[in-house]
């Protein structure tokens, strides 16, 4: 009954606006704008998951709100595992920076790739090493290489930093470098991109990995096999450590959440992707 009353009230307001505009000769665009403001019902989209996707999602939300002021997007950087598990449950939209496992695919989630991201291997700015091969990185993360002087740097025990189990960045990095399940025992496992950057900025012997889009001047992103970690090199395929950014929904997707995802894939959304990542459309 309340819904019907609101609908009738809204219709009456629109009709009143139309009547006034006809009497005063108001232009059609003003009438359309007023009608849209009546129908723009406030709505909150809950988003959660990958901390690597979070910076891009925040940019999406900021730009989207400029034309959809009635939409609020709450973003929770909780890790890909949580984004996949709670898509369609806690979150209307889940975020993942890794492909789904067969078991996760069996949950019937709708997955859409909205960007491609490179994973940057990062070290302290004072470290003289500028490039490592995939084999050398694998050796460092499995414990076969333990000192920087084994890879052309100054002597010093390598402090290996990784993401926590369940992280999309970790899953993709281990798969692409080729050491799934063989991470060095005692490696420092961090729960966020920000924590990894902060730790490496303070430790001259540390090595870690983060989303290419999160690289800043507080750390140094090294080349892989002589290929610089640049968007152009991810695009042309010469930079080999790259993965998808995925958004996930359940079967009952609210119209506003669906519209937000469609916008991410539109020219406007993909223009944001192109600033630091790789467009998919």
């Amino acid at each position: 009954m309340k819904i019907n009353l609101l609908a009738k009230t809204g219709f009456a307001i629109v009709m009143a606006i139309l009547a006034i505009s006809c009497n005063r000769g108001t232009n059609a665009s003003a009438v359309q704008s007023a009608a849209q403001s009546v129908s723009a019902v406030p709505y909150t989209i809950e988003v959660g998951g990958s901390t690597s996707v979070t910076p891009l999602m925040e940019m999406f939300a900021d730009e989207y709100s400029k034309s959809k002021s009635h939409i609020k997007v709450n973003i929770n950087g909780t890790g890909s595992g949580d984004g996949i598990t709670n898509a369609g449950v806690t979150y209307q939209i889940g975020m993942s920076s890794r492909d789904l496992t067969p078991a996760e695919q069996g949950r019937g989630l709708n997955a859409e790739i909205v960007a491609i991201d490179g994973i940057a291997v990062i070290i302290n700015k004072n470290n003289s090493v500028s490039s490592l091969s995939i084999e050398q990185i694998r050796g460092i993360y499995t414990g076969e290489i333990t000192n920087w002087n084994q890879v052309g740097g100054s002597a010093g025990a390598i402090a290996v930093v990784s993401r926590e189990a369940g992280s999309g960045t970790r899953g993709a990095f281990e798969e692409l470098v080729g050491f799934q399940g063989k991470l060095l025992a005692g490696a420092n496992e961090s729960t966020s991109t920000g924590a990894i950057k902060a730790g490496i900025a303070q430790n001259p012997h540390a090595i870690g990995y983060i989303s290419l889009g999160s690289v800043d001047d507080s750390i140094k992103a090294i080349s892989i096999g002589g290929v610089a970690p640049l968007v152009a090199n991810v695009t042309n395929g010469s930079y080999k450590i790259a993965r998808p950014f995925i958004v996930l929904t359940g079967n009952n997707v609210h119209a506003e959440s669906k519209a937000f995802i469609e916008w991410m894939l539109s020219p406007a959304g993909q223009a944001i992707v192109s600033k630091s990542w790789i467009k998919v459309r």
Side-chain angles (χ1 to χ4, degrees), residues 9 62 111 195:
T9 301
D62 287 344

Side-chain angles (χ1 to χ4, degrees), residues 158-179:
I158 300 174
V160 177
V161 182
S162 181
R163 284 295 302 270
E164 79 286 4
S167 159
T169 309
R170 173 171 169 171
F173 185 73
E174 290 189 356
E175 179 180 352
L176 292 165
V177 176
F179 66 99

Side-chain angles (χ1 to χ4, degrees), residues 82-165:
D82 181 60
I84 295 168
T85 299
N86 286 303
V89 185
T90 305
Y91 313 122
Q92 282 113 25
I93 300 174
M95 302 180 289
S96 176
S97 52
R98 64 168 173 81
D99 290 319
L100 276 62
T101 66
E104 290 166 342
Q105 292 173 357
R107 294 185 55 222
L109 295 172
N110 301 304
E112 191 77 57
I113 297 175
V114 295
I116 302 296
D117 178 52
I119 299 177
V121 176
I122 60 173
I123 57 177
N124 187 275
K125 291 172 68 175
N126 294 320
N127 193 320
S128 62
V129 172
S130 60
S131 181
L132 292 171
S133 67
I134 291 286
E135 292 74 22
Q136 287 173 322
I137 296 168
R138 185 187 307 125
I140 289 171
Y141 272 85
T142 58
E144 294 176 13
I145 297 174
T146 59
N147 198 294
W148 283 109
N149 62 13
Q150 294 176 264
V151 290
S154 301
I158 300 174
V160 177
V161 182
S162 181
R163 284 295 302 270
E164 79 286 4

